[in-house]
Amino acid sequence: SLKFCIPKPEFSVLVKSCSNGFSELVSQMATAVTTFCFNLVMMRLLSENGVAAITIMIYTGFLLNTLYIGFSMGVAPIVSYQYGQRNYKGLKKVFKICISFIAVVSVIIFVLSMAFGTPLAGIFSMPGTQVYDIARKGFLIFPFSFLFCGINIFASAFFTALSNGRVSALISVLRSFVWILFFLFTPPLLWKETGVWLAVPLSELVTMFISSVFLWKHWKGNTG
């Protein structure tokens, strides 16, 4: 029953698809901007050693966040299918499984990061150096972000799967750009480099509350 034919482009569908994926675009663009800002602040506070230390932390965060991203992208087609079928009972079941998985994994990653932060810092820098000392202190604060970022990443992917690009983009903009820049340029004024390490955890924490509100509203309003 399959055959070749001349495609009929539907530009309205294309525009809707692009707008629905806007959150992913924002995340990638924000990464470049926030990384530059982190380097700028650390250069001012701790010179090149601070930049090296924050680089270790940022790329470690990228590596661990891929677990949440991979899971969220993998479960998105299932969410879309259940929602398209109006199978709200199935959607609830998938949602509960996802939230439970993210909660357990978040705690595990946090505990492992806190336990093995010092050895991990030693992989990228020699113990006893200033870079090592700065990164080691950072690993005592930065891992708190792993307790909150999972729900934010999932929430953004969840609303993309529901074709709600506006909420998905809002969550991405808040967690990866707005709140990070806000906390990056405010707490360091009082707490120096400690304030820099707090920027991402605080950003993820505030965004998690907002994500939870949107998820709760969808749960109550659309799934019965």
Side-chain angles (χ1 to χ4, degrees), residues 51-66:
V51 174
I54 195 66
T55 301
I56 295 173
M57 203 63 57
I58 289 175
Y59 283 101
T60 301
F62 287 161
L63 177 63
L64 295 176
N65 283 340
T66 54

Side-chain angles (χ1 to χ4, degrees), residues 56-57 60 111-127 132-133 135-137 139-140:
I56 295 173
M57 203 63 57
T60 301
V111 172
L112 292 177
S113 299
M114 294 294 287
F116 297 101
T118 299
L120 189 59
I123 295 176
F124 298 97
S125 58
M126 292 294 295
Y132 174 82
D133 292 336
R136 184 174 57 83
K137 293 177 181 177
F139 271 108
L140 298 176

Side-chain angles (χ1 to χ4, degrees), residues 173-175 177-184 199 203 206-207 210:
V173 169
L174 290 176
R175 69 171 291 267
F177 189 74
V178 175
W179 291 125
I180 283 185
L181 292 184
F182 174 78
F183 289 116
L184 182 59
S203 174
V206 175
T207 306
I210 299 173

Side-chain angles (χ1 to χ4, degrees), residues 44-141:
R44 187 174 69 244
L45 292 175
L46 298 171
S47 68
E48 293 85 354
N49 292 321
V51 174
I54 195 66
T55 301
I56 295 173
M57 203 63 57
I58 289 175
Y59 283 101
T60 301
F62 287 161
L63 177 63
L64 295 176
N65 283 340
T66 54
L67 176 61
Y68 299 118
I69 295 173
F71 174 78
S72 299
M73 293 297 102
V75 78
I78 302 175
V79 173
S80 294
Y81 178 80
Q82 299 293 344
Y83 186 68
Q85 290 289 320
R86 296 295 187 266
N87 183 9
Y88 296 128
K89 184 177 181 180
L91 184 60
K92 276 188 174 183
K93 183 178 180 180
V94 172
F95 183 83
K96 288 180 178 179
I97 293 173
C98 291
I99 294 297
S100 300
F101 174 82
I102 291 173
V104 172
V105 170
S106 296
V107 173
I108 292 175
I109 291 179
F110 169 73
V111 172
L112 292 177
S113 299
M114 294 294 287
F116 297 101
T118 299
L120 189 59
I123 295 176
F124 298 97
S125 58
M126 292 294 295
T129 62
Q130 189 175 0
V131 174
Y132 174 82
D133 292 336
I134 297 172
R136 184 174 57 83
K137 293 177 181 177
F139 271 108
L140 298 176
I141 301 174

